[in-house]
Amino acid sequence: MAASCLFCKIVKGEIPCEKIMETEHSFSFMDINPLAPKHCLVIPKQHGVKLCDIDDAHLADLLPVAKKVAAAIGCTNYNLLQNNGREAHQAVDHVHFHIIPKPDASRGLGISWPSKETDKAEIAKNAEEIRAAL
């Protein structure tokens, strides 16, 4: 854990939170700036700024915890959001997943999705670059 990290301090109990659940590798609590009622966060106990910084054992635990919390929230529609970097709207430098209920059109996460047409050759080239990097 990082000494100055807000979320690490929450996991260690140095900053209070409304804890939802905790496992060996994960911690879930209420978001203090919610976009909708019951907006929660799920974080790895391991400190890491971006998703690729977290070891597989912690990552393997995160989605099952998120699934349980999402089910407990009890909403039909919700977003599971994880941002990496300031340009991608990451505000806290510790990996975290938001579970954001979407009870209606006006509450929850609002998303603009400016998709662009891409030709199949460009898609194939991008896929090959990704496969080569794996």
Side-chain angles (χ1 to χ4, degrees):
M1 291 196 200
S4 63
C5 173
L6 174 71
F7 287 172
C8 288
K9 288 179 180 182
I10 288 173
V11 170
K12 290 187 281 187
E14 296 172 4
I15 295 175
C17 73
E18 288 295 334
K19 182 169 73 171
I20 302 301
M21 73 174 288
E22 180 175 6
T23 67
E24 178 183 354
H25 296 297
S26 301
F27 195 91
S28 178
F29 55 100
M30 299 299 294
D31 192 300
I32 62 168
N33 295 303
L35 296 180
K38 299 183 181 180
H39 177 167
C40 299
L41 298 174
V42 178
I43 67 171
K45 288 183 175 179
Q46 175 194 2
H47 179 78
V49 175
K50 295 185 178 178
L51 188 65
C52 293
D53 298 333
I54 304 301
D55 68 42
D56 289 349
H58 284 80
L59 289 176
D61 193 55
L62 284 169
L63 283 180
V65 169
K67 176 183 173 182
K68 289 174 186 171
V69 173
I73 289 171
C75 59
T76 303
N77 302 300
Y78 59 92
N79 295 93
L80 180 64
L81 176 69
Q82 198 275 316
N83 302 321
N84 291 275
R86 292 290 179 263
E87 290 296 320
H89 308 286
Q90 182 179 10
V92 177
D93 289 332
H94 186 116
V95 169
H96 56 287
F97 288 80
H98 292 264
I99 303 171
I100 308 166
K102 187 71 175 161
D104 55 52
S106 66
R107 294 182 292 166
L109 183 64
I111 297 178
S112 171
W113 198 280
S115 62
K116 311 250 185 290
E117 285 193 37
T118 305
D119 65 37
K120 290 186 180 200
E122 183 177 354
I123 292 171
K125 176 183 168 276
N126 291 336
E128 182 56 38
E129 289 175 7
I130 295 167
R131 285 190 295 266
L134 289 175

